PDB file of all heavy atoms in Angstrom:
ATOM      1  N   CYS A  62     140.311 115.864 118.732  1.00 95.00           N
ATOM      2  CA  CYS A  62     139.175 116.181 117.857  1.00 95.00           C
ATOM      3  C   CYS A  62     138.280 117.252 118.472  1.00 95.00           C
ATOM      4  O   CYS A  62     137.731 118.095 117.758  1.00 95.00           O
ATOM      5  CB  CYS A  62     138.347 114.912 117.604  1.00 95.00           C
ATOM      6  SG  CYS A  62     139.095 113.744 116.467  1.00 95.00           S
ATOM      7  N   VAL A  63     138.151 117.220 119.791  1.00 95.00           N
ATOM      8  CA  VAL A  63     137.255 118.154 120.468  1.00 95.00           C
ATOM      9  C   VAL A  63     137.872 119.549 120.551  1.00 95.00           C
ATOM     10  O   VAL A  63     137.196 120.558 120.306  1.00 95.00           O
ATOM     11  CB  VAL A  63     136.880 117.622 121.860  1.00 95.00           C
ATOM     12  CG1 VAL A  63     136.053 118.641 122.633  1.00 95.00           C
ATOM     13  CG2 VAL A  63     136.112 116.309 121.745  1.00 95.00           C
ATOM     14  N   ILE A  64     139.147 119.638 120.907  1.00 94.00           N
ATOM     15  CA  ILE A  64     139.748 120.935 121.212  1.00 94.00           C
ATOM     16  C   ILE A  64     140.462 121.570 120.024  1.00 94.00           C
ATOM     17  O   ILE A  64     140.766 122.764 120.058  1.00 94.00           O
ATOM     18  CB  ILE A  64     140.743 120.806 122.389  1.00 94.00           C
ATOM     19  CG1 ILE A  64     141.934 119.936 122.000  1.00 94.00           C
ATOM     20  CG2 ILE A  64     140.042 120.249 123.617  1.00 94.00           C
ATOM     21  CD1 ILE A  64     143.028 119.866 123.060  1.00 94.00           C
ATOM     22  N   THR A  65     140.755 120.813 118.954  1.00 95.00           N
ATOM     23  CA  THR A  65     141.497 121.356 117.818  1.00 95.00           C
ATOM     24  C   THR A  65     140.571 122.154 116.912  1.00 95.00           C
ATOM     25  O   THR A  65     139.491 121.677 116.534  1.00 95.00           O
ATOM     26  CB  THR A  65     142.176 120.236 117.017  1.00 95.00           C
ATOM     27  OG1 THR A  65     143.034 119.493 117.884  1.00 95.00           O
ATOM     28  CG2 THR A  65     142.986 120.809 115.867  1.00 95.00           C
ATOM     29  N   ASP A  66     140.998 123.343 116.574  1.00 94.00           N
ATOM     30  CA  ASP A  66     140.227 124.178 115.655  1.00 94.00           C
ATOM     31  C   ASP A  66     140.349 123.602 114.249  1.00 94.00           C
ATOM     32  O   ASP A  66     141.464 123.414 113.743  1.00 94.00           O
ATOM     33  CB  ASP A  66     140.767 125.606 115.693  1.00 94.00           C
ATOM     34  CG  ASP A  66     139.922 126.578 114.880  1.00 94.00           C
ATOM     35  OD1 ASP A  66     138.901 126.142 114.318  1.00 94.00           O
ATOM     36  OD2 ASP A  66     140.282 127.774 114.807  1.00 94.00           O
ATOM     37  N   PRO A  67     139.233 123.300 113.579  1.00 94.00           N
ATOM     38  CA  PRO A  67     139.344 122.721 112.227  1.00 94.00           C
ATOM     39  C   PRO A  67     139.903 123.683 111.194  1.00 94.00           C
ATOM     40  O   PRO A  67     140.320 123.249 110.118  1.00 94.00           O
ATOM     41  CB  PRO A  67     137.894 122.331 111.900  1.00 94.00           C
ATOM     42  CG  PRO A  67     137.058 123.241 112.737  1.00 94.00           C
ATOM     43  CD  PRO A  67     137.828 123.459 114.004  1.00 94.00           C
ATOM     44  N   GLY A  68     139.924 124.958 111.502  1.00 93.00           N
ATOM     45  CA  GLY A  68     140.456 125.941 110.561  1.00 93.00           C
ATOM     46  C   GLY A  68     139.379 126.857 110.036  1.00 93.00           C
ATOM     47  O   GLY A  68     138.327 126.412 109.590  1.00 93.00           O
ATOM     48  N   SER A  69     139.634 128.142 110.119  1.00 92.00           N
ATOM     49  CA  SER A  69     138.698 129.149 109.619  1.00 92.00           C
ATOM     50  C   SER A  69     139.404 130.019 108.581  1.00 92.00           C
ATOM     51  O   SER A  69     140.636 130.062 108.503  1.00 92.00           O
ATOM     52  CB  SER A  69     138.163 130.005 110.770  1.00 92.00           C
ATOM     53  OG  SER A  69     139.228 130.633 111.464  1.00 92.00           O
ATOM     54  N   VAL A  70     138.607 130.720 107.813  1.00 92.00           N
ATOM     55  CA  VAL A  70     139.158 131.551 106.735  1.00 92.00           C
ATOM     56  C   VAL A  70     139.625 132.878 107.316  1.00 92.00           C
ATOM     57  O   VAL A  70     138.855 133.556 108.012  1.00 92.00           O
ATOM     58  CB  VAL A  70     138.083 131.799 105.650  1.00 92.00           C
ATOM     59  CG1 VAL A  70     138.662 132.609 104.503  1.00 92.00           C
ATOM     60  CG2 VAL A  70     137.520 130.483 105.155  1.00 92.00           C
ATOM     61  N   PRO A  71     140.875 133.268 107.083  1.00 91.00           N
ATOM     62  CA  PRO A  71     141.332 134.586 107.541  1.00 91.00           C
ATOM     63  C   PRO A  71     140.503 135.702 106.904  1.00 91.00           C
ATOM     64  O   PRO A  71     140.119 135.625 105.736  1.00 91.00           O
ATOM     65  CB  PRO A  71     142.793 134.642 107.085  1.00 91.00           C
ATOM     66  CG  PRO A  71     143.203 133.212 106.894  1.00 91.00           C
ATOM     67  CD  PRO A  71     141.968 132.493 106.460  1.00 91.00           C
ATOM     68  N   TYR A  72     140.229 136.705 107.666  1.00 88.00           N
ATOM     69  CA  TYR A  72     139.362 137.783 107.177  1.00 88.00           C
ATOM     70  C   TYR A  72     140.008 138.556 106.031  1.00 88.00           C
ATOM     71  O   TYR A  72     139.311 139.116 105.186  1.00 88.00           O
ATOM     72  CB  TYR A  72     139.031 138.736 108.322  1.00 88.00           C
ATOM     73  CG  TYR A  72     137.991 139.758 107.969  1.00 88.00           C
ATOM     74  CD1 TYR A  72     136.651 139.401 107.853  1.00 88.00           C
ATOM     75  CD2 TYR A  72     138.344 141.089 107.709  1.00 88.00           C
ATOM     76  CE1 TYR A  72     135.691 140.326 107.503  1.00 88.00           C
ATOM     77  CE2 TYR A  72     137.386 142.036 107.367  1.00 88.00           C
ATOM     78  CZ  TYR A  72     136.061 141.649 107.265  1.00 88.00           C
ATOM     79  OH  TYR A  72     135.114 142.570 106.912  1.00 88.00           O
ATOM     80  N   THR A  73     141.327 138.564 105.979  1.00 87.00           N
ATOM     81  CA  THR A  73     142.033 139.309 104.927  1.00 87.00           C
ATOM     82  C   THR A  73     142.328 138.456 103.692  1.00 87.00           C
ATOM     83  O   THR A  73     142.998 138.932 102.772  1.00 87.00           O
ATOM     84  CB  THR A  73     143.348 139.856 105.485  1.00 87.00           C
ATOM     85  OG1 THR A  73     144.148 138.771 105.979  1.00 87.00           O
ATOM     86  CG2 THR A  73     143.082 140.833 106.622  1.00 87.00           C
ATOM     87  N   TRP A  74     141.849 137.211 103.682  1.00 88.00           N
ATOM     88  CA  TRP A  74     142.177 136.347 102.542  1.00 88.00           C
ATOM     89  C   TRP A  74     141.372 136.745 101.317  1.00 88.00           C
ATOM     90  O   TRP A  74     140.168 137.028 101.406  1.00 88.00           O
ATOM     91  CB  TRP A  74     141.898 134.885 102.895  1.00 88.00           C
ATOM     92  CG  TRP A  74     142.273 133.935 101.792  1.00 88.00           C
ATOM     93  CD1 TRP A  74     143.502 133.426 101.546  1.00 88.00           C
ATOM     94  CD2 TRP A  74     141.401 133.420 100.776  1.00 88.00           C
ATOM     95  NE1 TRP A  74     143.467 132.615 100.442  1.00 88.00           N
ATOM     96  CE2 TRP A  74     142.181 132.595  99.945  1.00 88.00           C
ATOM     97  CE3 TRP A  74     140.049 133.585 100.486  1.00 88.00           C
ATOM     98  CZ2 TRP A  74     141.658 131.926  98.855  1.00 88.00           C
ATOM     99  CZ3 TRP A  74     139.521 132.919  99.392  1.00 88.00           C
ATOM    100  CH2 TRP A  74     140.319 132.097  98.597  1.00 88.00           C
ATOM    101  N   ARG A  75     142.063 136.803 100.162  1.00 85.00           N
ATOM    102  CA  ARG A  75     141.419 137.087  98.885  1.00 85.00           C
ATOM    103  C   ARG A  75     141.913 136.065  97.863  1.00 85.00           C
ATOM    104  O   ARG A  75     143.084 135.676  97.877  1.00 85.00           O
ATOM    105  CB  ARG A  75     141.755 138.497  98.388  1.00 85.00           C
ATOM    106  CG  ARG A  75     141.226 139.606  99.281  1.00 85.00           C
ATOM    107  CD  ARG A  75     139.702 139.650  99.247  1.00 85.00           C
ATOM    108  NE  ARG A  75     139.167 140.746 100.044  1.00 85.00           N
ATOM    109  CZ  ARG A  75     138.914 140.683 101.341  1.00 85.00           C
ATOM    110  NH1 ARG A  75     139.171 139.555 101.998  1.00 85.00           N
ATOM    111  NH2 ARG A  75     138.416 141.713 101.971  1.00 85.00           N
ATOM    112  N   PRO A  76     141.049 135.598  96.965  1.00 83.00           N
ATOM    113  CA  PRO A  76     141.493 134.623  95.964  1.00 83.00           C
ATOM    114  C   PRO A  76     142.419 135.265  94.937  1.00 83.00           C
ATOM    115  O   PRO A  76     142.279 136.442  94.587  1.00 83.00           O
ATOM    116  CB  PRO A  76     140.175 134.163  95.316  1.00 83.00           C
ATOM    117  CG  PRO A  76     139.239 135.308  95.526  1.00 83.00           C
ATOM    118  CD  PRO A  76     139.616 135.926  96.840  1.00 83.00           C
ATOM    119  N   ASP A  77     143.377 134.495  94.488  1.00 75.00           N
ATOM    120  CA  ASP A  77     144.324 134.943  93.479  1.00 75.00           C
ATOM    121  C   ASP A  77     143.733 134.642  92.109  1.00 75.00           C
ATOM    122  O   ASP A  77     143.731 133.497  91.641  1.00 75.00           O
ATOM    123  CB  ASP A  77     145.661 134.231  93.655  1.00 75.00           C
ATOM    124  CG  ASP A  77     146.737 134.780  92.716  1.00 75.00           C
ATOM    125  OD1 ASP A  77     146.448 135.774  92.011  1.00 75.00           O
ATOM    126  OD2 ASP A  77     147.845 134.217  92.690  1.00 75.00           O
ATOM    127  N   VAL A  78     143.204 135.657  91.462  1.00 67.00           N
ATOM    128  CA  VAL A  78     142.537 135.451  90.168  1.00 67.00           C
ATOM    129  C   VAL A  78     143.529 135.160  89.053  1.00 67.00           C
ATOM    130  O   VAL A  78     143.134 134.688  87.980  1.00 67.00           O
ATOM    131  CB  VAL A  78     141.688 136.683  89.811  1.00 67.00           C
ATOM    132  CG1 VAL A  78     140.575 136.874  90.815  1.00 67.00           C
ATOM    133  CG2 VAL A  78     142.549 137.934  89.732  1.00 67.00           C
ATOM    134  N   ASN A  79     144.814 135.420  89.270  1.00 66.00           N
ATOM    135  CA  ASN A  79     145.832 135.180  88.242  1.00 66.00           C
ATOM    136  C   ASN A  79     146.537 133.850  88.424  1.00 66.00           C
ATOM    137  O   ASN A  79     147.501 133.556  87.702  1.00 66.00           O
ATOM    138  CB  ASN A  79     146.869 136.306  88.252  1.00 66.00           C
ATOM    139  CG  ASN A  79     146.244 137.651  87.915  1.00 66.00           C
ATOM    140  OD1 ASN A  79     145.372 137.739  87.055  1.00 66.00           O
ATOM    141  ND2 ASN A  79     146.695 138.700  88.602  1.00 66.00           N
TER     142      ASN A  79
END
Side-chain angles (χ1 to χ4, degrees):
C62 285
V63 175
I64 66 174
T65 303
D66 186 2
S69 58
V70 182
Y72 188 74
T73 58
W74 183 84
R75 296 293 183 274
D77 186 5
V78 296
N79 298 321

